[in-house]
Amino acid sequence: MASAWNLPKDTSLLILRHHDHHFFSSCQDETLRMTMATLKMAENFVHLQRRFSPSQDWQYFEVSALAVLDLENDDYLDIKDDVEEYFIDKQL
């Protein structure tokens, strides 16, 4: 699908591997690692807001994603609170 849409190679790779629990241990490209970490964190925030539980694979990505983004758990919780406030303000 990604190639049919002529998406950039890096975007296609992220789509292909966004459920790959070994992504962070096998990918050395820092930009891809940061993009995947941001994607997984955002995906988890949306899942928490819509389904009131973490995304199914957050448990596999959480430690690596936060490390790649240089975030402590308290930082993550602060961002999560900000996202929740945003959803409440926008009534999404």
Side-chain angles (χ1 to χ4, degrees):
M1 177 175 71
S3 60
W5 291 351
N6 295 317
L7 294 175
K9 184 184 274 187
D10 289 347
T11 303
S12 299
L13 176 67
L14 290 171
I15 291 170
L16 177 66
R17 297 194 58 200
H18 79 277
H19 290 295
D20 179 356
H21 301 166
H22 304 287
F23 176 82
F24 290 111
S25 62
S26 63
C27 178
Q28 301 306 312
D29 183 302
E30 195 60 26
T31 299
L32 287 177
R33 291 167 56 83
M34 291 192 78
T35 303
M36 179 67 85
T38 303
L39 167 75
K40 297 311 288 185
M41 191 168 73
E43 177 184 59
N44 190 57
F45 289 153
V46 170
H47 207 275
L48 286 167
Q49 185 64 31
R50 305 273 170 145
R51 296 195 175 97
F52 308 104
S53 65
S55 62
Q56 292 178 341
D57 58 4
W58 180 241
Q59 63 183 332
Y60 303 109
F61 289 98
E62 180 178 11
V63 171
S64 295
L66 296 182
V68 166
L69 296 171
D70 195 27
L71 295 173
E72 299 291 331
N73 195 56
D74 286 344
D75 300 321
Y76 168 81
L77 293 174
D78 287 343
I79 296 168
K80 180 179 162 285
D81 288 345
D82 291 344
V83 169
E84 288 172 351
E85 287 179 28
Y86 174 82
F87 279 128
I88 290 168
D89 290 346
K90 298 296 182 183
Q91 297 180 359
L92 297 175

